[in-house]
PDB file of all heavy atoms in Angstrom:
ATOM      1  N   ILE A 146      54.603  83.713 140.841  1.00  0.00           N
ATOM      2  CA  ILE A 146      54.644  83.866 139.392  1.00  0.00           C
ATOM      3  C   ILE A 146      54.181  85.299 139.104  1.00  0.00           C
ATOM      4  O   ILE A 146      53.094  85.723 139.562  1.00  0.00           O
ATOM      5  CB  ILE A 146      53.684  82.871 138.693  1.00  0.00           C
ATOM      6  CG1 ILE A 146      54.097  81.423 139.002  1.00  0.00           C
ATOM      7  CG2 ILE A 146      53.710  83.113 137.174  1.00  0.00           C
ATOM      8  CD1 ILE A 146      55.465  81.007 138.472  1.00  0.00           C
ATOM      9  N   ALA A 147      54.992  86.066 138.420  1.00  0.00           N
ATOM     10  CA  ALA A 147      54.661  87.453 138.165  1.00  0.00           C
ATOM     11  C   ALA A 147      54.809  87.761 136.658  1.00  0.00           C
ATOM     12  O   ALA A 147      55.755  87.300 136.008  1.00  0.00           O
ATOM     13  CB  ALA A 147      55.575  88.363 138.969  1.00  0.00           C
ATOM     14  N   TYR A 148      53.856  88.581 136.135  1.00  0.00           N
ATOM     15  CA  TYR A 148      53.850  88.992 134.767  1.00  0.00           C
ATOM     16  C   TYR A 148      54.195  90.453 134.680  1.00  0.00           C
ATOM     17  O   TYR A 148      53.631  91.309 135.440  1.00  0.00           O
ATOM     18  CB  TYR A 148      52.468  88.789 134.125  1.00  0.00           C
ATOM     19  CG  TYR A 148      52.241  87.448 133.465  1.00  0.00           C
ATOM     20  CD1 TYR A 148      52.893  86.298 133.897  1.00  0.00           C
ATOM     21  CD2 TYR A 148      51.394  87.319 132.397  1.00  0.00           C
ATOM     22  CE1 TYR A 148      52.700  85.068 133.281  1.00  0.00           C
ATOM     23  CE2 TYR A 148      51.166  86.105 131.756  1.00  0.00           C
ATOM     24  CZ  TYR A 148      51.817  84.997 132.215  1.00  0.00           C
ATOM     25  OH  TYR A 148      51.617  83.782 131.621  1.00  0.00           O
ATOM     26  N   PHE A 149      55.095  90.833 133.751  1.00  0.00           N
ATOM     27  CA  PHE A 149      55.436  92.241 133.495  1.00  0.00           C
ATOM     28  C   PHE A 149      55.371  92.466 131.965  1.00  0.00           C
ATOM     29  O   PHE A 149      55.520  91.509 131.161  1.00  0.00           O
ATOM     30  CB  PHE A 149      56.866  92.560 133.925  1.00  0.00           C
ATOM     31  CG  PHE A 149      57.132  92.320 135.427  1.00  0.00           C
ATOM     32  CD1 PHE A 149      57.500  91.054 135.899  1.00  0.00           C
ATOM     33  CD2 PHE A 149      57.046  93.369 136.330  1.00  0.00           C
ATOM     34  CE1 PHE A 149      57.754  90.834 137.205  1.00  0.00           C
ATOM     35  CE2 PHE A 149      57.310  93.153 137.665  1.00  0.00           C
ATOM     36  CZ  PHE A 149      57.635  91.900 138.099  1.00  0.00           C
ATOM     37  N   ALA A 150      55.297  93.699 131.564  1.00  0.00           N
ATOM     38  CA  ALA A 150      55.333  94.040 130.139  1.00  0.00           C
ATOM     39  C   ALA A 150      56.250  95.219 129.925  1.00  0.00           C
ATOM     40  O   ALA A 150      56.381  96.128 130.772  1.00  0.00           O
ATOM     41  CB  ALA A 150      53.967  94.402 129.610  1.00  0.00           C
ATOM     42  N   LEU A 151      56.952  95.184 128.783  1.00  0.00           N
ATOM     43  CA  LEU A 151      57.788  96.280 128.341  1.00  0.00           C
ATOM     44  C   LEU A 151      57.398  96.587 126.844  1.00  0.00           C
ATOM     45  O   LEU A 151      57.141  95.642 126.072  1.00  0.00           O
ATOM     46  CB  LEU A 151      59.251  95.960 128.357  1.00  0.00           C
ATOM     47  CG  LEU A 151      59.904  95.773 129.751  1.00  0.00           C
ATOM     48  CD1 LEU A 151      61.300  95.142 129.574  1.00  0.00           C
ATOM     49  CD2 LEU A 151      59.997  97.109 130.449  1.00  0.00           C
ATOM     50  N   MET A 152      57.340  97.869 126.515  1.00  0.00           N
ATOM     51  CA  MET A 152      57.020  98.269 125.146  1.00  0.00           C
ATOM     52  C   MET A 152      58.290  98.168 124.301  1.00  0.00           C
ATOM     53  O   MET A 152      59.355  98.747 124.695  1.00  0.00           O
ATOM     54  CB  MET A 152      56.436  99.680 125.076  1.00  0.00           C
ATOM     55  CG  MET A 152      55.110  99.805 125.803  1.00  0.00           C
ATOM     56  SD  MET A 152      53.792  98.834 125.004  1.00  0.00           S
ATOM     57  CE  MET A 152      53.493  97.616 126.323  1.00  0.00           C
ATOM     58  N   ARG A 153      58.207  97.449 123.218  1.00  0.00           N
ATOM     59  CA  ARG A 153      59.360  97.305 122.328  1.00  0.00           C
ATOM     60  C   ARG A 153      59.827  98.712 121.780  1.00  0.00           C
ATOM     61  O   ARG A 153      59.009  99.584 121.553  1.00  0.00           O
ATOM     62  CB  ARG A 153      59.065  96.406 121.146  1.00  0.00           C
ATOM     63  CG  ARG A 153      60.223  96.041 120.271  1.00  0.00           C
ATOM     64  CD  ARG A 153      59.844  95.165 119.100  1.00  0.00           C
ATOM     65  NE  ARG A 153      59.283  93.881 119.544  1.00  0.00           N
ATOM     66  CZ  ARG A 153      58.025  93.536 119.356  1.00  0.00           C
ATOM     67  NH1 ARG A 153      57.209  94.325 118.770  1.00  0.00           N
ATOM     68  NH2 ARG A 153      57.616  92.349 119.828  1.00  0.00           N
ATOM     69  N   ASN A 154      61.122  98.883 121.606  1.00  0.00           N
ATOM     70  CA  ASN A 154      61.711 100.098 121.065  1.00  0.00           C
ATOM     71  C   ASN A 154      61.572 101.304 122.005  1.00  0.00           C
ATOM     72  O   ASN A 154      61.674 102.451 121.528  1.00  0.00           O
ATOM     73  CB  ASN A 154      61.125 100.468 119.730  1.00  0.00           C
ATOM     74  CG  ASN A 154      61.320  99.401 118.684  1.00  0.00           C
ATOM     75  OD1 ASN A 154      62.239  98.553 118.809  1.00  0.00           O
ATOM     76  ND2 ASN A 154      60.481  99.331 117.661  1.00  0.00           N
ATOM     77  N   THR A 155      61.324 101.087 123.267  1.00  0.00           N
ATOM     78  CA  THR A 155      61.113 102.188 124.208  1.00  0.00           C
ATOM     79  C   THR A 155      62.308 102.427 125.125  1.00  0.00           C
ATOM     80  O   THR A 155      62.607 103.548 125.480  1.00  0.00           O
ATOM     81  CB  THR A 155      59.874 101.919 125.097  1.00  0.00           C
ATOM     82  OG1 THR A 155      58.726 101.761 124.229  1.00  0.00           O
ATOM     83  CG2 THR A 155      59.610 103.042 126.093  1.00  0.00           C
ATOM     84  N   HIS A 156      63.059 101.385 125.447  1.00  0.00           N
ATOM     85  CA  HIS A 156      64.049 101.499 126.517  1.00  0.00           C
ATOM     86  C   HIS A 156      65.477 101.312 125.999  1.00  0.00           C
ATOM     87  O   HIS A 156      65.726 100.576 125.076  1.00  0.00           O
ATOM     88  CB  HIS A 156      63.775 100.450 127.590  1.00  0.00           C
ATOM     89  CG  HIS A 156      62.404 100.557 128.187  1.00  0.00           C
ATOM     90  ND1 HIS A 156      62.096 101.541 129.106  1.00  0.00           N
ATOM     91  CD2 HIS A 156      61.256  99.869 127.995  1.00  0.00           C
ATOM     92  CE1 HIS A 156      60.821 101.411 129.453  1.00  0.00           C
ATOM     93  NE2 HIS A 156      60.289 100.385 128.781  1.00  0.00           N
ATOM     94  N   SER A 157      66.363 102.005 126.691  1.00  0.00           N
ATOM     95  CA  SER A 157      67.780 101.928 126.401  1.00  0.00           C
ATOM     96  C   SER A 157      68.333 100.738 127.211  1.00  0.00           C
ATOM     97  O   SER A 157      67.666 100.156 128.014  1.00  0.00           O
ATOM     98  CB  SER A 157      68.493 103.194 126.881  1.00  0.00           C
ATOM     99  OG  SER A 157      68.515 103.269 128.306  1.00  0.00           O
ATOM    100  N   PRO A 158      69.642 100.414 126.983  1.00  0.00           N
ATOM    101  CA  PRO A 158      70.266  99.347 127.780  1.00  0.00           C
ATOM    102  C   PRO A 158      70.258  99.618 129.291  1.00  0.00           C
ATOM    103  O   PRO A 158      70.386  98.652 130.053  1.00  0.00           O
ATOM    104  CB  PRO A 158      71.679  99.305 127.232  1.00  0.00           C
ATOM    105  CG  PRO A 158      71.597  99.851 125.832  1.00  0.00           C
ATOM    106  CD  PRO A 158      70.538 100.936 125.914  1.00  0.00           C
ATOM    107  N   TYR A 159      70.136 100.872 129.693  1.00  0.00           N
ATOM    108  CA  TYR A 159      70.077 101.172 131.111  1.00  0.00           C
ATOM    109  C   TYR A 159      68.911 100.451 131.812  1.00  0.00           C
ATOM    110  O   TYR A 159      68.950 100.134 132.987  1.00  0.00           O
ATOM    111  CB  TYR A 159      70.002 102.680 131.355  1.00  0.00           C
ATOM    112  CG  TYR A 159      71.244 103.379 130.976  1.00  0.00           C
ATOM    113  CD1 TYR A 159      71.190 104.354 129.975  1.00  0.00           C
ATOM    114  CD2 TYR A 159      72.481 103.126 131.547  1.00  0.00           C
ATOM    115  CE1 TYR A 159      72.368 105.044 129.605  1.00  0.00           C
ATOM    116  CE2 TYR A 159      73.588 103.800 131.188  1.00  0.00           C
ATOM    117  CZ  TYR A 159      73.559 104.735 130.221  1.00  0.00           C
ATOM    118  OH  TYR A 159      74.694 105.400 129.824  1.00  0.00           O
ATOM    119  N   ALA A 160      67.816 100.238 131.014  1.00  0.00           N
ATOM    120  CA  ALA A 160      66.685  99.489 131.552  1.00  0.00           C
ATOM    121  C   ALA A 160      66.749  98.028 131.098  1.00  0.00           C
ATOM    122  O   ALA A 160      66.555  97.068 131.916  1.00  0.00           O
ATOM    123  CB  ALA A 160      65.365 100.102 131.097  1.00  0.00           C
ATOM    124  N   MET A 161      67.030  97.817 129.803  1.00  0.00           N
ATOM    125  CA  MET A 161      66.919  96.449 129.248  1.00  0.00           C
ATOM    126  C   MET A 161      67.990  95.506 129.824  1.00  0.00           C
ATOM    127  O   MET A 161      67.689  94.343 130.081  1.00  0.00           O
ATOM    128  CB  MET A 161      67.029  96.500 127.726  1.00  0.00           C
ATOM    129  CG  MET A 161      65.833  97.174 127.035  1.00  0.00           C
ATOM    130  SD  MET A 161      64.223  96.390 127.516  1.00  0.00           S
ATOM    131  CE  MET A 161      64.546  94.677 127.098  1.00  0.00           C
TER     132      MET A 161
END
Side-chain angles (χ1 to χ4, degrees):
I146 300 294
Y148 270 30
F149 301 86
L151 291 169
M152 296 296 112
R153 188 181 299 113
N154 300 338
T155 300
H156 301 284
S157 72
Y159 292 118
M161 290 306 304

